[in-house]
Amino acid sequence: MPNPTAAMLVIGDEILSGRTRDSNMHHLAQAFTRHGIDLREVRVVADDHAAIVAALRALSEAYDHVVTSGGIGPTHDDITAPCVAEAFGVPIGVRDDARALLQAHYDRSGTELNEARLRMARIPEGATLIDNPISAAPGFTLRNVHVMAGVPTVFEAMVASLLPTLTGGAPVLSQCLRLMKGEGEVAKGVGDLAEEFDDLQFGSYPFQKDGIYGTNIVVRGTEAARLDAAMTRLAALFAA
Amino acid sequence: MPNPTAAMLVIGDEILSGRTRDSNMHHLAQAFTRHGIDLREVRVVADDHAAIVAALRALSEAYDHVVTSGGIGPTHDDITAPCVAEAFGVPIGVRDDARALLQAHYDRSGTELNEARLRMARIPEGATLIDNPISAAPGFTLRNVHVMAGVPTVFEAMVASLLPTLTGGAPVLSQCLRLMKGEGEVAKGVGDLAEEFDDLQFGSYPFQKDGIYGTNIVVRGTEAARLDAAMTRLAALFAA
């Protein structure tokens, strides 16, 4: 059975303006690969209502899972939750269990749960909460969309909360052969082998070190024996 | 006049599998912001013909410019150039001026311009070449799509070659106020100010340092005087 597919939607002006360098995409890509979920597409959009709703609809139709990152804080530009509600045509409001989580969190530090913070308890109808052990304000899952925070430590904690609830496929294994030959030197041999082993993915990643061109050949697949066979052939091909 | 808009299409299995962490998006976001071009959307797709063609068509229709990164090397999984040709319905073949650039480059190092390397001279009909001072194999512009390498040093050199040919708008200026108050504390005040200064963008970026919650408020816009006015109001608001 093929692995489940997924897409990610990163929401935030700060990424597109170059102020912040996103790290959540890389974290999710690695976590999903280990869990046997194929991340097929990532989109980054601005804090823009129409853009978020359109992307949510397109991605949730095309893939088994969609993970969003960003836009669930207490400020005026945090609009992800109402956008998810709109994308699926369900109502949204402050939910008692989410409010209780926030109340307990702020009570511990003697902080007021004011109107702005209460925005973080707005949950679309029918959603399941995703645990946030760092700062309490929960993420949520509505149908196949998993809504998470943008702050990397919180995002990563939410991924850890979410993953055990998702059915994964076979983890994708990979092996790498480092060749001190330019990509153009090895391209034909690698291409022929990729055609022969068409159940595996062959990637070719050039590098330059001390003025010498080299290439990392990465082979990915779910069956260890097939990977071993391909790597043996690869090594023999470029042993000279 | 509003600034020109742009999208970026990152092509590569290695990003989606988590093997490689993309850095080109962050570089382009900063370069475009300085140049007065609004990067509105980024998509990352796999080395998949149908996915690349669909994304190229959608993005080139929706934005003034599209920059692609990756998939123009010599190997079997480098399929960006033929995908661009297909997206616009034009033929593609090895072009003499591109072949001459490669021939000169490889002659200098006594390397053979073999069949695999010659793939890098395939240019869709009607395209303009983008200079690659690092490794010769050119990028190209076809209509509003600018096709560049994925290797960061080459991508960055190509951005430097491309930018002077693009008409920019007013560079987006930004100022930042660092507050040692949690985001939920300042959210209402910032939101009210954002409504009043609706020609500016207000972003709010929480951080945690030594157990204390703080928030960076970033204000962006193209008129320095308006930015100054907003920052003065912001500072007064949270001076207490």
Side-chain angles (χ1 to χ4, degrees), chain A residues 14 16-19 21 26 30 33 40-44 74-75 114 117 183-185 204-205 218, chain B residues 14 16-19 21 26 30 33 40-44 74-75 114 117 183-185 204-205 218 220:
Chain A
E14 70 278 19
L16 293 172
S17 73
R19 182 183 179 276
R21 185 178 159 163
H26 188 57
Q30 294 192 318
T33 295
R40 293 271 180 88
E41 180 172 350
V42 178
R43 293 192 193 181
V44 186
T75 63
N114 60 19
R117 294 192 172 106
E183 208 181 11
E185 199 88 19
S204 153
Y205 307 106
V218 176
Chain B
E14 71 277 20
L16 293 171
S17 73
R19 180 182 180 277
R21 186 180 159 161
H26 187 56
Q30 294 191 318
T33 295
R40 293 273 181 87
E41 181 172 350
V42 178
R43 293 193 192 178
V44 186
T75 63
N114 61 18
R117 293 192 173 107
E183 206 181 11
E185 198 88 20
S204 152
Y205 308 107
V218 175
R220 293 189 195 87

Side-chain angles (χ1 to χ4, degrees), chain A residues 53-72:
Chain A
V53 171
L56 282 167
R57 286 184 177 148
L59 295 175
S60 65
E61 260 186 40
Y63 302 100
D64 295 329
H65 295 285
V66 178
V67 168
T68 76
S69 155
I72 63 167

Side-chain angles (χ1 to χ4, degrees), chain A residues 195-218:
Chain A
E195 253 178 53
E196 189 184 328
F197 287 81
D198 63 356
D199 56 325
L200 305 177
Q201 287 85 50
F202 286 68
S204 153
Y205 307 106
F207 63 86
Q208 201 184 344
K209 200 172 154 62
D210 306 329
I212 308 222
Y213 288 93
T215 309
N216 284 312
I217 307 297
V218 176

